[in-house]
Amino acid sequence: MDPLRRDKEKAAKEAEAAAAANALKPLEPPDYVKLVSAEGHEFYIERRAAMVSNTLKNMLMTPGNFVDNARGVIELKEISTPILEKVCQYFMYKLKYMHTPYPFPEFKVESDIALELMMAANFLDT
């Protein structure tokens, strides 16, 4: 048998074995989560940042209709795009300063979105 052909067959068998081994592994959750606003705008944030919200954490950890766990997609049809953008900024802020001793910088919120942002924070339990 030709040595080149034997090497190709060996490589093909190894690739098949690797694919079979990967198929048997349980699916790991993605490192990023996609949050979809009421208008359909998509925000990709780190999974650990999304876990700042107790509501999102429960959605991600519990199988159910709230989230497409395989892809890490959560549709938040009650939250508008500008509010969800600010919420994502807060998640990153909280993650960054969670274990920092006081004083840390103030998280600024524009007064025209404050009420709607408070309602979203209440819903998201942050």
Side-chain angles (χ1 to χ4, degrees):
M1 180 181 266
D2 179 23
L4 183 59
R5 183 174 175 195
R6 188 175 24 200
D7 288 344
K8 286 183 181 178
E9 288 177 359
K10 183 179 177 185
K13 286 181 182 178
E14 288 174 356
E16 282 180 34
N22 286 336
L24 297 176
K25 288 183 181 177
L27 289 176
E28 294 182 19
D31 293 335
Y32 285 83
V33 174
K34 178 169 68 171
L35 304 179
V36 183
S37 72
E39 296 84 7
H41 191 87
E42 300 172 348
F43 294 90
Y44 291 85
I45 63 170
E46 292 181 49
R47 181 181 265 291
R48 64 191 187 106
M51 297 290 208
V52 167
S53 160
N54 289 323
T55 302
L56 296 182
K57 183 178 181 179
N58 288 335
M59 288 178 173
L60 290 166
M61 302 299 274
T62 308
N65 298 332
F66 298 113
V67 64
D68 182 350
N69 279 328
R71 296 179 315 162
V73 178
I74 300 176
E75 293 189 20
L76 299 166
K77 296 181 185 205
E78 303 82 21
I79 302 177
S80 68
T81 298
I83 299 302
L84 188 54
E85 180 179 14
K86 196 66 170 180
V87 165
C88 291
Q89 290 171 3
Y90 176 74
F91 290 162
M92 294 307 296
Y93 167 87
K94 176 102 182 222
L95 198 61
K96 182 176 181 177
Y97 295 109
M98 192 176 337
H99 301 292
T100 304
Y102 191 78
F104 42 86
E106 178 183 342
F107 184 76
K108 299 196 186 298
V109 175
E110 299 78 18
S111 60
D112 58 328
I113 66 167
L115 179 61
E116 198 174 349
L117 188 61
M118 284 178 29
M119 292 186 333
N122 185 48
F123 170 73
L124 294 170
D125 192 15
T126 55

